[in-house]
Amino acid sequence: MPPRLRQPRLQSPSRSIIRSPPCQCLCEKRSRQFSSTPCNATRQRAEMFRWLNGPGNVFRQPLPGSTNYLNAYDRSGNLLRVDNSNAAQGRKSGDGEKKKDEGGDAEVDLETSSIKKKSAQRPSPEARMKGAPLPKETREDLMPFPMNREFRSQSVLSEQLKDAIYRKVIEQGKSVRDVSATLGVEMRRVAAVVRLKAVEKQWEEQGKRLATPYSKAVLSMLPQTPYIENDPMPHESINDLPVHRATLNQIFHPVSESRHFTRSDAAKVFQPDLLPADDRVPHTELVQLEKWRFEGIQQDQRIAMMREKNEKEAQAKRDREARRREREARETTKVDNGRSIFKFQEVKVDERVGEKGRGREGVGARYGVPHEDRKKGQIKIPTRVE
Amino acid sequence: MRKRFHGLKRPRLRQSWNKYNLYNLSRAEDPIRRERTFFQQKWTAKSMTRAYHGETVREQKWTRMFRRTIKAVVPMDHRYLAEKDGSELAEGRGSGLDLAPDQKPRIIPKTPYMNMTYAPTERRLDTAIFRALFASSTRQARQFVVHGYVRVNGQKMIYPGYQLNPGDMFQVDPERVLYATGAPKDRQERRAGRKIRALRASQKEAATEETSSEPEPAAEPQTPSSPPPPESTAPAKSTKQTLQSLLAQAKLILTTPSQTLTARRKQDLRAFQRTVKRTLSRPDTFSTATSLDAQLSEITTKMAPEKPTPTPSSTTPEEDIPKLSTPELQAQAESLTPQQLDTLRLALQEARDNPIDASKPYATPWRPREWMSAFAFIPRYLEVHHKICSAVYVRHPVARPGLAEVPTPYGLHVNGLAHNWYLRRR
């Protein structure tokens, strides 16, 4: 191999004539003005940076007071709803209508300088905030994935709404069901909010630092459901009927023309023990109240009846629980040896093991089937954490 | 060697907030070309969607996770349920009465079942952490889990593949979340952080030398009932000593064999030992007083553009003035108008919540990282409380008319093809 000769420090005039290929990446600052090394960035990388510094620059920082998703902008990085509202105003004043800009492809491929000019013309988010407030997001603006029209960013509970839920459940002692119905928040979510709020209070008592700046920043990027004291806005649909597997099949079920065929009849056709939708929704009490209203019962009477019904149900539940506990106490023998308590229970093997002797409840369920959990490399992930 | 995670040549969409990913997402198109064979279409659809959903999960494991049954709900109106019993749907010629065109009910959009193909992956702990916006990618979330920063229902969970059950609460260490979602440090901040670390290391070294040179006085305080020394110069040391003596006592009880010590009691004692050890190992809390002073210049700049407006001085100003660390600053603060004082109070509160601290691994005061807002959404099956970096997995994701809750970048067609691929009997 020939010895490598060092490059002369001073460039000869002939060498300086050979110009390095134009830099593909965005060296706007011309930081490597005197470098003769060719820029290594590939064409695609250069294109990416052109997009990130051009139309994509709107995603670099959150849009103050609004969400900032891909679908809210056109190809050249203009907020569509601002353009649309401007167009609507123009139409009102008698101007020709302006169609939504779809052919933005060419604009992306334009020179960087022109894009820069465009972005300079566009008012900055701060300036826009100081001027007119942004119009509210439409359904389209809340789609983070432009290809997926069936997914959109749904609103989250605002801090005030969470506070209100916690106040109502813990301080005013209302039931989760009531709070869910009045605020339009799913019951499981109400329970979750109360639990999380309780943890927050505990942290405050312990003097742990909360991630307040993070919380503020994230909530400002998300659509939120506000809390209005006397006229609460529903957050989500609270009466979601889960689609039962038995109802997925189409059934041709001939009935006589004169028959009054109701929902509960239909449920029985799908599966003999399937309950009708009225009893399968989470808030059955709302349906019942409404039924009484159609029967013409006065409001205070309706409320009294509902209270009575709830009381009866609660009593039945308590009775059931007491009976269960009693039966358990009768059937189990406890032996306390000071260190631990052994519980013995009578078991009828014949019933549990089933016909083949390998029923899941019985003792021989896995007879002859090895457990692999002692093998090398086998991990046992817990299925439940209490 | 593995392929590029965020490639530009063969772009794959990923569960990440990376700018490469954003760019790929912005130019992505439906990858399926109809002229290819059905098998080819399914293959492409499967490979594209799998690159996004659970790419750390092996294919064999995923095929076992896959379920052809899809959870869906239909929102019901309680008024309708009360008013009608369902028989009106069979009125007329058997399919309901013909209504006037203006009375016709709105057409209910179709339920996008196919977009729920990857619903089982959303149950995974690492994916849920990413969806709750506690990590900037699923891989980072996975790392947090493996490194032991995540608790499920108060217990440490080190398996990223843990399948969350409805009602499970998961918590991530807030410091990790701030690191994951915060802007990175710049050069000067990194340098300042290094300096602080070096200083702390040297202090620690000096402390260990001290204790090793005089072991007798450290071993001496055996009586836990003796009152702590009244000198205010070393309150931290005295509390440390009492804690250590408590720890020694607990150890003594545990080691001596006895009949009365039940297993439950032993467990309690061990838990107590753990908490004491944790308290002892925790360094002293960083005082925010110095950083507050450092931020005063910022506060004054905030107040500068406000013009002092004449206000009725009904409130007593002496009580409202916040306490500052030096008398000069206090004097300056006393000369402010009530409005400026409000601004000062707000700014001080902000500074207290979000202090400048070079020892943190993220840029301080904390601010969200770039490109985050385009990816910021929280699906409804999670209930997230960002202040404590905790969330509850409320229920499994469901499909409803016009909406599938599984966040997937691909549309119905691609997801349907992928679903079809996994329906294959093998």
Side-chain angles (χ1 to χ4, degrees):
Chain A
M1 215 173 131
R4 246 189 218 177
L5 292 177
R6 249 187 163 186
Q7 294 283 338
R9 279 284 169 85
L10 285 170
Q11 287 186 348
S12 60
S14 64
R15 202 183 142 67
S16 66
I17 290 164
I18 305 162
R19 292 178 64 194
S20 59
C23 192
Q24 294 288 329
C25 63
L26 284 184
C27 304
E28 293 140 10
K29 289 168 231 157
R30 309 295 299 159
S31 57
R32 346 182 18 246
Q33 215 168 7
F34 298 106
S35 168
S36 59
T37 325
C39 192
N40 280 333
T42 61
R43 190 178 53 80
Q44 277 169 329
R45 249 174 74 81
E47 253 167 38
M48 182 190 79
F49 279 109
R50 196 176 299 149
W51 184 81
L52 287 176
N53 294 319
N57 205 18
V58 287
F59 304 110
R60 194 183 287 268
Q61 299 299 339
L63 189 61
S66 161
T67 56
N68 200 20
Y69 298 123
L70 271 173
N71 217 34
Y73 293 88
D74 64 3
R75 292 282 181 103
S76 44
N78 298 316
L79 203 56
L80 279 171
R81 62 196 135 123
V82 171
D83 293 358
N84 288 351
S85 67
N86 288 347
Q89 279 173 6
R91 231 172 287 148
K92 264 182 201 167
S93 63
D95 239 352
E97 66 258 41
K98 192 182 159 192
K99 268 201 93 183
K100 202 168 81 175
D101 193 5
E102 282 294 332
D105 272 18
E107 277 170 306
V108 180
D109 298 330
L110 283 177
E111 286 291 302
T112 334
S113 53
S114 69
I115 287 168
K116 282 233 137 191
K117 255 185 229 160
K118 272 209 155 186
S119 61
Q121 281 170 0
R122 228 183 309 136
S124 67
E126 289 88 36
R128 204 185 282 144
M129 268 310 278
K130 272 174 193 166
L134 280 173
K136 210 176 168 331
E137 295 105 327
T138 58
R139 213 181 127 95
E140 300 271 306
D141 297 330
L142 290 171
M143 290 175 182
F145 303 118
M147 280 191 290
N148 186 359
R149 320 287 299 169
E150 274 76 33
F151 178 77
R152 56 182 183 279
S153 169
Q154 290 174 289
S155 62
V156 297
L157 302 174
S158 61
E159 284 292 318
Q160 295 81 19
L161 189 46
K162 281 183 190 171
D163 285 337
I165 289 171
Y166 184 77
R167 223 174 24 241
K168 288 196 177 192
V169 174
I170 296 293
E171 287 162 20
Q172 299 173 12
K174 285 189 180 170
S175 70
V176 170
R177 191 170 280 274
D178 279 359
V179 174
S180 165
T182 47
L183 296 181
V185 180
E186 213 186 330
M187 279 193 279
R188 283 173 290 189
R189 195 179 304 282
V190 170
V193 166
V194 170
R195 196 170 161 202
L196 291 165
K197 263 283 175 200
V199 175
E200 191 200 324
K201 302 265 164 175
Q202 201 186 339
W203 279 33
E204 272 173 359
E205 266 175 30
Q206 289 171 352
K208 272 195 190 176
R209 237 184 80 195
L210 306 177
T212 321
Y214 162 69
S215 168
K216 266 187 201 162
V218 168
L219 284 179
S220 71
M221 293 179 204
L222 298 168
Q224 292 184 51
T225 310
Y227 175 58
I228 304 151
E229 184 78 46
N230 297 318
D231 180 28
M233 203 170 145
H235 175 66
E236 59 198 326
S237 86
I238 51 172
N239 257 346
D240 277 344
L241 176 73
V243 175
H244 196 275
R245 275 211 78 184
T247 61
L248 289 174
N249 297 334
Q250 254 188 7
I251 295 175
F252 186 76
H253 182 73
V255 287
S256 68
E257 211 172 296
S258 58
R259 181 161 166 209
H260 190 70
F261 195 76
T262 60
R263 262 195 298 275
S264 40
D265 295 329
K268 274 186 202 114
V269 170
F270 279 124
Q271 197 173 308
D273 57 345
L274 185 65
L275 294 171
D278 318 36
D279 300 330
R280 289 184 62 231
V281 292
H283 284 273
T284 44
E285 88 283 358
L286 287 182
V287 181
Q288 186 60 58
L289 280 172
E290 204 65 18
K291 272 182 187 165
W292 284 335
R293 196 172 73 85
F294 279 114
E295 283 167 22
I297 301 171
Q298 291 302 312
Q299 191 183 2
D300 42 351
Q301 205 180 345
R302 284 203 306 262
I303 289 168
M305 281 162 79
M306 182 46 74
R307 206 162 282 156
E308 197 183 325
K309 191 169 171 253
N310 288 347
E311 194 60 43
K312 231 182 248 173
E313 272 166 15
Q315 185 59 40
K317 198 179 175 189
R318 257 176 273 144
D319 288 351
R320 231 179 302 137
E321 183 65 16
R323 252 178 281 137
R324 190 188 62 80
R325 229 175 289 131
E326 196 190 323
R327 199 184 62 234
E328 223 172 68
R330 203 172 54 233
E331 286 176 356
T332 53
T333 331
K334 285 183 186 171
V335 177
D336 190 354
N337 71 344
R339 203 185 130 83
S340 34
I341 301 167
F342 291 97
K343 285 183 184 172
F344 294 98
Q345 199 169 5
E346 279 293 323
V347 172
K348 279 181 187 158
V349 178
D350 305 353
E351 284 172 13
R352 293 207 173 189
V353 295
E355 277 180 12
K356 291 183 181 171
R358 305 188 62 162
R360 288 214 139 196
E361 301 285 303
V363 281
R366 285 182 60 90
Y367 186 74
V369 185
H371 274 293
E372 302 221 322
D373 51 357
R374 293 296 186 94
K375 265 191 176 176
K376 200 178 160 195
Q378 294 278 347
I379 51 158
K380 225 177 183 181
I381 301 176
T383 51
R384 190 185 327 166
V385 182
E386 295 302 335
Chain B
M1 211 188 97
R2 63 166 292 126
K3 304 258 171 57
R4 274 181 189 282
F5 191 58
H6 293 297
L8 293 174
K9 204 178 267 178
R10 226 164 59 102
R12 295 249 184 251
L13 302 179
R14 306 286 189 182
Q15 290 182 349
S16 136
W17 300 347
N18 196 294
K19 60 184 171 192
Y20 279 69
N21 198 35
L22 181 68
Y23 174 61
N24 285 339
L25 200 57
S26 77
R27 63 179 178 146
E29 281 162 11
D30 192 341
I32 309 297
R33 293 205 312 276
R34 313 289 158 120
E35 69 266 25
R36 299 168 78 211
T37 66
F38 189 45
F39 182 90
Q40 285 170 334
Q41 289 182 26
K42 282 196 290 187
W43 175 275
T44 317
K46 177 221 104 188
S47 71
M48 298 304 280
T49 48
R50 280 285 283 131
Y52 182 82
H53 293 282
E55 45 85 29
T56 52
V57 184
R58 286 184 202 158
E59 189 64 10
Q60 185 58 65
K61 210 171 170 194
W62 157 245
T63 45
R64 274 194 231 112
M65 274 161 78
F66 172 77
R67 292 279 171 279
R68 57 183 299 166
T69 50
I70 288 167
K71 286 194 169 58
V73 294
V74 182
M76 298 302 280
D77 184 12
H78 63 272
R79 274 178 227 96
Y80 167 77
L81 286 177
E83 194 184 345
K84 305 272 173 67
D85 61 355
S87 59
E88 88 284 352
L89 293 173
E91 272 172 5
R93 294 170 71 188
S95 54
L97 289 177
D98 282 341
L99 295 170
D102 57 323
Q103 285 178 357
K104 271 192 180 156
R106 267 194 313 145
I107 297 161
I108 300 167
K110 278 184 182 171
T111 306
Y113 277 100
M114 285 301 102
N115 281 1
M116 302 290 292
T117 304
Y118 289 98
T121 60
E122 300 298 312
R123 250 186 101 177
R124 282 173 62 91
L125 181 58
D126 54 355
T127 315
I129 290 169
F130 171 69
R131 296 293 186 211
L133 307 181
F134 294 155
S136 64
S137 67
T138 310
R139 294 194 149 216
Q140 195 177 35
R142 186 187 169 83
Q143 195 190 37
F144 288 169
V145 179
V146 170
H147 289 194
Y149 293 114
V150 177
R151 299 175 157 269
V152 175
N153 291 341
Q155 284 185 35
K156 191 161 112 178
M157 174 56 69
I158 54 164
Y159 302 112
Y162 172 70
Q163 302 269 310
L164 288 164
N165 296 312
D168 271 357
M169 178 159 86
F170 55 95
Q171 299 169 294
V172 187
D173 183 15
E175 276 305 306
R176 293 290 94 195
V177 173
L178 291 182
Y179 164 66
T181 57
K185 283 173 154 186
D186 66 9
R187 213 165 178 192
Q188 278 89 23
E189 285 167 330
R190 279 204 298 274
R191 188 142 175 263
R194 271 201 298 277
K195 270 186 185 167
I196 284 181
R197 273 202 298 280
L199 189 71
R200 281 189 185 165
S202 65
Q203 278 174 352
K204 205 176 175 185
E205 216 169 79
T208 48
E209 270 174 24
E210 252 178 50
T211 48
S212 61
S213 63
E214 33 183 347
E216 280 81 15
E220 235 175 54
Q222 284 296 325
T223 48
S225 56
S226 68
E231 291 101 54
S232 59
T233 47
K237 206 176 181 185
S238 67
T239 49
K240 201 172 180 182
Q241 278 171 356
T242 35
L243 282 175
Q244 274 166 346
S245 72
L246 280 172
L247 203 62
Q249 270 188 338
K251 200 175 179 183
L252 194 71
I253 293 168
L254 276 172
T255 45
T256 47
S258 85
Q259 278 287 315
T260 53
L261 198 64
T262 57
R264 160 69 55 187
R265 178 122 182 76
K266 268 187 187 173
Q267 279 176 1
D268 289 346
L269 270 171
R270 279 191 211 109
F272 171 71
Q273 270 185 320
R274 272 200 299 278
T275 42
V276 172
K277 273 179 192 163
R278 210 179 303 136
T279 329
L280 279 173
S281 64
R282 200 175 289 158
D284 294 336
T285 46
F286 193 77
S287 79
T288 52
T290 49
S291 58
L292 285 182
D293 281 350
Q295 288 198 334
L296 195 90
S297 55
E298 196 188 322
I299 294 159
T300 42
T301 51
K302 260 191 183 178
M303 283 189 297
E306 276 197 20
K307 39 187 168 178
T309 47
T311 48
S313 56
S314 57
T315 55
T316 50
E318 286 81 24
E319 286 175 0
D320 292 351
I321 291 165
K323 289 205 167 172
L324 295 172
S325 53
T326 56
E328 299 101 65
L329 292 176
Q330 193 69 38
Q332 222 175 351
E334 274 162 21
S335 64
L336 298 172
T337 61
Q339 276 191 342
Q340 284 177 324
L341 270 179
D342 278 346
T343 326
L344 176 66
R345 211 165 292 116
L346 267 179
L348 275 176
Q349 182 59 40
E350 223 168 78
R352 216 163 284 139
D353 286 344
N354 200 359
I356 293 176
D357 185 355
S359 66
K360 299 286 187 215
Y362 45 85
T364 47
W366 186 90
R367 58 180 192 278
R369 61 164 55 215
E370 284 178 352
W371 317 109
M372 177 182 170
S373 59
F375 300 103
F377 57 83
I378 292 177
R380 282 266 166 94
Y381 55 84
L382 293 174
E383 179 53 44
V384 188
H385 204 63
H386 291 102
K387 264 190 195 165
I388 52 172
C389 299
S390 309
V392 173
Y393 183 78
V394 178
R395 53 180 165 78
H396 294 309
V398 290
R400 54 180 73 238
L403 183 100
E405 282 188 338
V406 172
T408 170
Y410 298 102
L412 265 177
H413 178 228
V414 179
N415 275 305
L417 285 168
H419 191 262
N420 229 304
W421 170 269
Y422 290 110
L423 283 181
R424 208 162 64 152
R425 290 182 68 89
R426 280 187 270 198

